[in-house]
Amino acid sequence: EENGHLSKRLKSQVDEEDAEDQTKKLPKRKIVLLMAYSGKGYHGMQRNVGSSQFKTIEDDLVSALVQSGCIPENHGEDMKKMSFQRCARTDKGVSAAGQIVSLKVRLIDDILEKINNHLPSHIRILGLKRVTGGFNSKNKCDARTYSYMLPTFAFAHKDHDVQEETYRLNKETLEKVNKLLACYKGTHNFHNFTSQKGPKDPSAKRYIMEMYCGEPFVRESIEFAVIKVKGQSFMMHQIRKMIGLVIAIVKGYAAESIIERSWGEEKVDVPKAPGLGLVLERVHFEKYNRRFGNDGLHEPLEWKEEEEKIAVFKEQYIYPTIINTEREEKSMMNWLSTLSIHDFNSSAVEMQANNKTSKNSDFEGSDGCGDDSE
């Protein structure tokens, strides 16, 4: 009997080793993975190799890739070996419904299922496509769409509206919000919307394709709305400051003319809305799709078939996290109470003094939009 058990054990060991050898023989292929995740509790997307203090989404992803047998262990330690590139470096606490990473993997059977088996439920790989050998998800991306979900009481006028959760957004205020958001469309100098660029830095010029706020809806007795913004690329804090400034105007703290003023060379005090609520919705590869999407070898990088899975993930993991965190931590309510401290007419000299103070207390990093803010 003992011999029987021993031979069974040896046989299963040999089978496992055979399977491992077969996996090692599989050729590596360049692919993209479509990822969705809830960013709460993570210090952003990008891995900080050698720092286990701050957990990132990529820490969990790389671990799952190694455990599932898609990549050898040493590729997990040195990500350059698998030509790994993420499309956008989402920041601390920021979620994603359509993040894309490109990398070289062994195309094992049931690859998505196996990777997901080693991931926590709030991180999912929803799709996979083969791409050209030289594909780089960051460089080939020609636009990114973000959404920002916020409670509508953020738009309540400071002097004559209810400031609490009972507030409901009326049609006129929504129209005003959309008129202001539309001002951002086109190419402008956004140096006042990041802490990293001077007014003469050419890279502070950014192109915004669309920006609007959708119809409000009620969840858990609080009314929310979602702002969508599509642009070529964004700088650190840019989206949160664009939204923060519109909120300051609608609430009656700043004049509408401040938007035009902020594109000039003078330093303008632009408030930064909370990170909670910001979601990387999707990334666009229009040029790549035109060139390679119908060449008979590659598929276009579009995810129509995965749209339902994305919607389900958002309902299950992203929206409840935003709603529950807002209810418990009141991040928007607390931030709104700081708007009165801002000086929307301050001079450049005053601003520099304020900036020194705020820089020392700002540990948040990029918007999740730090696509190219290095």
Side-chain angles (χ1 to χ4, degrees):
E1 238 179 85
E2 266 183 35
N3 285 345
H5 276 304
L6 190 62
S7 64
K8 266 186 192 170
R9 236 193 1 254
L10 285 169
K11 188 179 181 305
S12 73
Q13 209 174 319
V14 168
D15 287 348
E16 270 174 39
E17 281 166 12
D18 279 354
E20 213 172 296
D21 287 343
Q22 286 304 313
T23 300
K24 281 177 183 170
K25 283 175 193 164
L26 285 172
K28 292 191 185 72
R29 294 283 179 255
K30 181 63 88 66
I31 59 154
V32 295
L33 296 174
L34 171 69
M35 285 183 81
Y37 51 83
S38 169
K40 191 180 181 187
Y42 288 89
H43 277 257
M45 171 75 182
Q46 191 170 358
R47 197 168 184 217
N48 305 307
V49 178
S51 164
S52 55
Q53 191 186 352
F54 301 116
K55 196 179 183 195
T56 70
I57 299 290
E58 281 174 20
D59 287 327
D60 281 355
L61 174 63
V62 170
S63 170
L65 292 169
V66 171
Q67 287 176 57
S68 61
C70 294
I71 60 165
E73 206 159 326
N74 65 342
H75 285 207
E77 288 150 23
D78 182 0
M79 291 164 77
K80 285 197 189 86
K81 285 183 174 164
M82 56 171 164
S83 307
F84 186 93
Q85 188 57 261
R86 88 275 315 150
C87 198
R89 294 177 317 195
T90 56
D91 194 31
K92 180 186 173 186
V94 175
S95 297
Q99 169 74 284
I100 296 285
V101 298
S102 55
L103 67 158
K104 281 183 178 166
V105 297
R106 303 176 182 130
L107 283 175
I108 57 174
D109 292 336
D110 307 317
I111 182 167
L112 292 192
E113 192 185 332
K114 283 176 181 163
I115 299 170
N116 282 326
N117 283 346
H118 294 286
L119 283 169
S121 57
H122 54 265
I123 303 177
R124 290 289 92 180
I125 306 297
L126 302 178
L128 176 153
K129 288 183 195 286
R130 287 275 303 274
V131 285
T132 55
F135 184 86
N136 174 313
S137 61
K138 182 181 157 189
N139 298 347
K140 296 289 180 202
C141 176
D142 25 44
R144 292 137 175 108
T145 297
Y146 284 84
S147 68
Y148 188 85
M149 184 173 165
L150 76 172
T152 58
F153 61 71
F155 297 125
H157 195 282
K158 67 180 172 71
D159 298 329
H160 44 74
D161 281 333
V162 174
Q163 300 297 304
E164 289 84 44
E165 294 167 2
T166 52
Y167 175 82
R168 294 296 178 259
L169 187 66
N170 61 42
K171 194 165 168 269
E172 291 71 30
T173 307
L174 180 59
E175 279 171 10
K176 183 177 183 180
V177 168
N178 275 319
K179 191 181 114 201
L180 292 167
L181 293 174
C183 295
Y184 288 122
K185 286 182 357 188
T187 302
H188 303 286
N189 186 340
F190 284 101
H191 74 96
N192 273 308
F193 294 79
T194 182
S195 56
Q196 299 181 319
K197 312 274 183 189
K200 296 199 187 310
D201 189 331
S203 69
K205 286 205 165 85
R206 299 290 158 133
Y207 175 51
I208 305 298
M209 295 156 189
E210 61 176 10
M211 193 165 186
Y212 63 91
C213 182
E215 290 293 324
F217 53 92
V218 176
R219 292 285 170 92
E220 314 238 347
S221 74
I222 307 175
E223 187 180 66
F224 286 88
V226 175
I227 293 170
K228 287 262 177 85
V229 55
K230 181 182 180 183
Q232 262 177 352
S233 61
F234 300 91
M235 297 177 290
M236 184 187 271
H237 299 149
Q238 185 184 337
I239 293 175
R240 288 163 58 191
K241 282 183 171 259
M242 288 163 80
I243 291 166
L245 194 58
V246 166
I247 291 172
I249 296 166
V250 176
K251 286 194 88 67
Y253 288 104
E256 284 188 33
S257 58
I258 195 169
I259 294 184
E260 288 282 339
R261 217 176 90 220
S262 71
W263 295 325
E265 291 200 1
E266 83 171 283
K267 197 85 179 105
V268 174
D269 187 359
V270 178
K272 179 179 69 189
L276 180 72
L278 189 65
V279 179
L280 174 63
E281 284 287 332
R282 59 174 301 192
V283 288
H284 308 266
F285 298 95
E286 283 139 23
K287 281 189 205 127
Y288 173 87
N289 288 344
R290 279 198 296 275
R291 188 163 172 204
F292 297 107
N294 299 303
D295 65 359
L297 296 169
H298 305 96
E299 300 170 83
L301 296 182
E302 287 164 355
W303 307 94
K304 289 189 176 69
E305 287 166 30
E306 286 75 18
E307 271 171 16
E308 198 178 319
K309 284 194 272 186
I310 292 169
V312 168
F313 185 88
K314 276 156 64 170
E315 288 295 338
Q316 258 184 325
Y317 293 100
I318 296 178
Y319 293 157
T321 300
I322 294 170
I323 293 160
N324 295 337
T325 308
E326 184 55 55
R327 286 187 75 91
E328 289 160 23
E329 297 175 15
K330 303 206 177 299
S331 61
M332 181 57 77
M333 191 78 84
N334 293 336
W335 174 78
L336 290 170
S337 68
T338 68
L339 282 178
S340 58
I341 303 162
H342 287 268
D343 182 356
F344 296 103
N345 300 305
S346 61
S347 70
V349 178
E350 288 169 320
M351 275 297 301
Q352 277 161 5
N354 293 344
N355 253 9
K356 276 180 189 159
T357 320
S358 68
K359 262 185 191 169
N360 295 337
S361 60
D362 188 3
F363 297 108
E364 281 202 60
S366 80
D367 243 346
C369 325
D371 311 314
D372 57 353
S373 61
E374 296 93 356

